[in-house]
Amino acid sequence: NKIMKIIKTKFKNLLIIKQKNNIDRRGNLREIFNQKIFKKKNFVFEYCTSSKAKALRGFHFQYNFQQAKYVNVLKGKILDCVVDLRKNSKTFGKTFKIILSDKNCLSLYIPEGFAHAFYSYEKMNIIYYKLTNYYKPKYERGINLLDKTLNIKWPGKKFKISKKDKKLGSFKDFLSNHNYL
């Protein structure tokens, strides 16, 4: 009876982690991280964020002090989406989407070199991150969530997007400014 199962994706080192949810009449217990199974030692920073329904956040990355991210949904349901921006990657410029929720107990390990975004479905969504580097706003950049060239079908039509995220440039802008991560 495995506590945690690691599932590979078509994207190199992008991993889905299936966790076991132990439920009884009092509530539940879910093991999110176990270094013996998920052998990642370099997490240095953790944070928790809440998002309301229809919130759309991203696409974010740090071009210096890059961060691998381990994304877990403690409450609610999100559509998590990444864009591969790694040099010489077979999946460069391609996107990967997955639903993460407190019900399906799936988490996503995103290696360095990806831009990250998500859409929130429920009234209250609580997302917990483990990261391999500290937040450095000076090196944070992004790609516009609604960029047509990424060809992402976000759920619904109306989104809650921050002013900062609305101002993010296109994938084309990323290519001319950075080429790759």
Side-chain angles (χ1 to χ4, degrees):
N1 198 356
K2 273 281 216 189
I3 300 163
M4 202 172 275
K5 188 178 171 202
I6 297 164
I7 304 155
K8 290 181 175 174
T9 66
K10 288 187 173 96
F11 291 66
K12 189 178 185 216
N13 298 327
L14 180 69
L15 306 170
I16 299 164
I17 292 83
K18 172 76 178 141
Q19 299 152 353
K20 186 172 185 275
N21 203 7
N22 300 288
I23 303 168
D24 68 19
R25 62 190 175 83
R26 301 164 300 165
N28 75 308
L29 182 144
R30 177 174 150 201
E31 204 167 292
I32 287 177
F33 180 71
N34 182 330
Q35 205 169 289
K36 287 178 186 154
I37 300 165
F38 185 36
K39 295 172 173 48
K40 300 287 177 197
K41 289 183 169 74
N42 53 350
F43 292 119
V44 296
F45 181 54
E46 300 179 19
Y47 65 86
C48 208
T49 179
S50 70
S51 269
K52 294 176 179 175
K54 297 181 180 160
L56 191 50
R57 298 173 178 256
F59 276 97
H60 302 144
F61 61 85
Q62 286 183 182
Y63 64 88
N64 274 349
F65 303 100
Q66 288 184 31
Q67 298 168 304
K69 295 176 179 178
Y70 180 40
V71 185
N72 297 272
V73 174
L74 304 183
K75 181 176 174 25
K77 175 180 162 184
I78 67 171
L79 177 63
D80 206 69
C81 188
V82 294
V83 184
D84 190 347
L85 302 175
R86 298 172 295 181
K87 184 186 184 182
N88 302 330
S89 170
K90 286 185 185 116
T91 48
F92 179 83
K94 297 210 175 351
T95 59
F96 176 87
K97 292 194 302 194
I98 185 171
I99 287 180
L100 306 177
S101 74
D102 55 7
K103 303 238 183 338
N104 71 13
C105 294
L106 294 178
S107 295
L108 191 63
Y109 174 77
I110 307 161
E112 292 178 359
F114 280 80
H116 176 247
F118 69 87
Y119 170 85
S120 299
Y121 286 98
E122 297 185 3
K123 224 173 7 198
M124 179 51 66
N125 305 275
I126 299 170
I127 301 98
Y128 162 69
Y129 293 84
K130 287 174 90 61
L131 303 105
T132 58
N133 226 323
Y134 297 99
Y135 175 57
K136 308 261 188 183
K138 189 170 142 185
Y139 302 108
E140 187 184 41
R141 293 292 181 275
I143 295 168
N144 198 296
L145 292 149
L146 306 175
D147 183 350
K148 296 276 184 272
T149 58
L150 294 175
N151 202 16
I152 299 161
K153 305 262 185 291
W154 294 109
K157 293 272 176 273
K158 284 200 159 124
F159 307 112
K160 294 174 188 155
I161 304 176
S162 72
K163 283 190 181 100
K164 187 174 114 184
D165 286 354
K166 278 181 184 169
K167 287 183 190 149
L168 292 174
S170 66
F171 182 62
K172 216 175 186 169
D173 295 335
F174 165 79
L175 293 174
S176 58
N177 292 325
H178 298 279
N179 294 324
Y180 51 80
L181 288 184

